[in-house]
Amino acid sequence: MPKAVKAAKRKAKSPNNRWLKLLLIPYTALYVWLMGLFDLHSLDFLKRFMDFWGRDAYTLNFVCAFVCLAGLLLLIFGPTRYRPVVAIGLLMFLMPVWFQSSLTPAKNSIRDPYVLKIEWNTLIFLYEVLTALWAAMLVRGDVKTEWVKLIMALVLVLGSVFPYLHGADEHDVMTLYMKILPLSLLTGFVLDFCMNGFSLQSLLPALISVAVSFVMAVDLSASAILWGFAASCLIAIVFLLIKKREAGSIGGVAALACMLINAAVFMLSYLWKIDIPKVF
C-alpha cells in the first residue's frame, strides 16, 4: 500500500480534530468546580463579578480570567500540532490554577474585601508555572521529537526542587505542589485524549496526583499516605516502561518520576527528620 494512502488512513482515524476538542468546553465547567475542591480561589471573584468590576486592586484577577478564556480558545482552534502552541495554550488555560501569590494562601473570609486579590510574587509564580507545565508533558506529539520532553523534564524537575534548596518550608511547598499538579495533569490528560485518543501514560499521572491530593488533604504528613504516594508512582513508572504497545510515554514517566522525587523529599523531611540542604 502506498505511503500516501497509509498516511491518509492514519489521519482519518486520528481523533485530533476541532470537534473533539470542543469537549474542552464542558471540561472547563468541571475544571472551575474542581478548583474549589483543591482550595484554589483565583476565580472566586467571578461569583460577585460586579462587586469587583472597576477596582484597580483586582486587575490581576480579571487578567487571569480573560487569559484562561483565551487559552481555551487557543487549545480548541489553534494549531496544536506544534508543541509550543500546546504549552502556551495550557499555561494560559491553567492560569487560575497556578496564579497563586503565596505558598500558603489565606483562607477566604467574607469579611475581608481584599481576600480574593492576587498580588505579584515572581519567585512563587515561576515555581507555579513550571509545575503547571507538566500538563504539556502528557500531551503526545510527533514520536520523532518526543526526545524534547527529556530536556523539558530536566528543567521542570530542577524547578520543582529549587524551593526546597532555596530554604522554603517543605510543608508549604508540598501543599502548593499538590494543589497545582492534579488539575494541571488532569487538563493535560483531557487535551491528550482529545488530540490523540486514550493513553495510560497521561491517565496514570493524573489519576495518582488527583487521588493523592484528596487523601493528603486529610493528613499531609501521614507515613502511610506518603509511602502509598511513592509506591504508586514507582509502580506506574515500571508499568509504563515495560509496556511496549504504547509509544510516547516519556512525558508520563517523567511526570511520575518528578512526583516520586517530591514524595521522597517530603518523606526525608517529615518521616526521617533529615534537613534538606539549603544551596541557594
Side-chain angles (χ1 to χ4, degrees):
M1 183 179 296
K3 292 183 178 180
V5 176
K6 290 183 178 180
K9 287 188 175 183
R10 284 196 301 268
K11 185 176 182 180
K13 293 180 180 180
S14 173
N16 185 7
N17 59 73
R18 291 181 181 179
W19 296 111
L20 193 55
K21 285 194 289 185
L22 289 176
L23 290 175
L24 291 172
I25 295 176
Y27 170 72
T28 302
L30 175 64
Y31 162 79
V32 173
W33 179 75
L34 286 174
M35 284 184 64
L37 298 182
F38 289 107
D39 198 24
L40 298 167
H41 304 290
S42 298
L43 294 182
D44 283 5
F45 78 99
L46 293 175
K47 299 174 184 177
R48 295 157 53 197
F49 184 88
M50 296 308 301
D51 291 340
F52 297 109
W53 179 258
R55 293 190 185 183
D56 293 338
Y58 285 87
T59 300
L60 287 177
N61 297 65
F62 283 98
V63 169
C64 179
F66 288 127
V67 169
C68 176
L69 178 60
L72 174 63
L73 296 176
L74 179 60
L75 291 175
I76 294 176
F77 301 107
T80 50
R81 62 184 179 276
Y82 301 113
R83 294 182 191 273
V85 175
V86 171
I88 293 172
L90 282 171
L91 280 183
M92 293 173 64
F93 180 69
L94 289 169
M95 193 172 183
V97 171
W98 61 259
F99 208 55
Q100 315 296 319
S101 59
S102 172
L103 285 172
T104 54
K107 298 290 184 180
N108 279 3
S109 172
I110 298 177
R111 297 179 181 177
D112 185 356
Y114 292 100
V115 72
L116 301 179
K117 183 182 70 171
I118 298 173
E119 296 180 351
W120 189 265
N121 187 320
T122 302
L123 182 62
I124 299 303
F125 287 149
L126 178 61
Y127 171 73
E128 292 169 336
V129 165
L130 292 176
T131 302
L133 265 176
W134 283 106
M137 291 285 290
L138 300 188
V139 182
R140 290 163 293 168
D142 188 347
V143 176
K144 295 180 180 179
T145 59
E146 281 288 283
W147 59 269
V148 174
K149 289 184 177 179
L150 292 175
I151 300 174
M152 185 176 175
L154 178 60
V155 174
L156 296 183
V157 169
L158 292 176
S160 180
V161 301
F162 176 80
Y164 298 117
L165 301 178
H166 188 63
D169 183 84
E170 289 87 353
H171 185 279
D172 292 346
V173 175
M174 193 64 176
T175 300
L176 186 60
Y177 181 76
M178 292 312 299
K179 283 183 177 182
I180 297 174
L181 191 70
L183 272 179
S184 298
L185 295 186
L186 184 61
T187 302
F189 162 71
V190 172
L191 181 60
D192 182 60
F193 173 79
C194 292
M195 292 176 58
N196 305 296
F198 178 77
S199 169
L200 284 174
Q201 72 89 29
S202 59
L203 173 64
L204 291 178
L207 186 62
I208 292 174
S209 64
V210 170
V212 171
S213 182
F214 278 126
V215 175
M216 280 188 168
V218 179
D219 187 354
L220 181 61
S221 58
S223 59
I225 296 175
L226 292 174
W227 278 109
F229 183 25
S232 59
C233 290
L234 184 59
I235 292 172
I237 289 172
V238 173
F239 176 78
L240 290 178
L241 288 176
I242 64 176
K243 190 174 183 292
K244 298 181 179 180
R245 290 180 299 170
E246 182 176 345
S249 295
I250 294 176
V253 171
L256 289 164
C258 186
M259 292 161 61
L260 181 58
I261 291 172
N262 278 271
V265 170
F266 203 61
M267 290 169 72
L268 286 173
S269 174
Y270 273 80
L271 298 186
W272 299 307
K273 307 301 180 182
I274 298 176
D275 291 332
I276 306 300
K278 311 308 178 187
V279 178
F280 305 102

